[in-house]
Amino acid sequence: MEPVVFVAVIGGLILMLLIIGAPIKPIRFLGQGVIKIIIGAVFLFFLNTLGNQAGIHVPINLATSAVAGLLGIPGVAALAAIGYWVI
C-alpha cells in the first residue's frame, strides 16, 4: 500500500470519527441527566413513603426530582428540611 493511500485512509477514519462522535456526546450528557432525574424521583418516593409517619411530604415533580437527582442524599435532605420548616 502506498503511503499516500495509507495517510488518506487514516485521515478519512479520523474525520469520520469526529463527525459521528460529535453528536453522541450531547446525547450521552442528556441521557445521564434523565437518569439522574429518575433516580431523584425514586429517592423522593422513598422519602415520602418513609416520611409519611413523621408528616414529611415533598411533591415529586421535575424541579424537585432534578434537585434530588443532581445533589443526591443531601439534596433530598434539603428538600425535606425546606418542606418541613419553611413551607
Side-chain angles (χ1 to χ4, degrees):
M1 187 182 274
E2 293 184 33
V4 174
V5 174
F6 182 72
V7 170
V9 169
I10 296 296
L13 287 174
I14 290 173
L15 184 63
M16 187 174 66
L17 285 174
L18 287 174
I19 291 172
I20 293 173
I24 292 174
K25 290 179 184 178
I27 293 171
R28 185 181 311 154
F29 181 71
L30 183 65
Q32 288 175 349
V34 169
I35 289 172
K36 287 185 179 187
I37 289 173
I38 292 170
I39 290 171
V42 171
F43 281 162
L44 291 175
F45 172 75
F46 286 124
L47 173 72
N48 288 337
T49 302
L50 299 174
N52 191 20
Q53 298 170 352
I56 298 172
H57 176 74
V58 177
I60 301 174
N61 55 33
L62 184 62
T64 57
S65 296
V67 168
L70 294 175
L71 298 178
I73 301 296
V76 173
L79 287 170
I82 290 170
Y84 188 72
W85 282 305
V86 176
I87 297 177

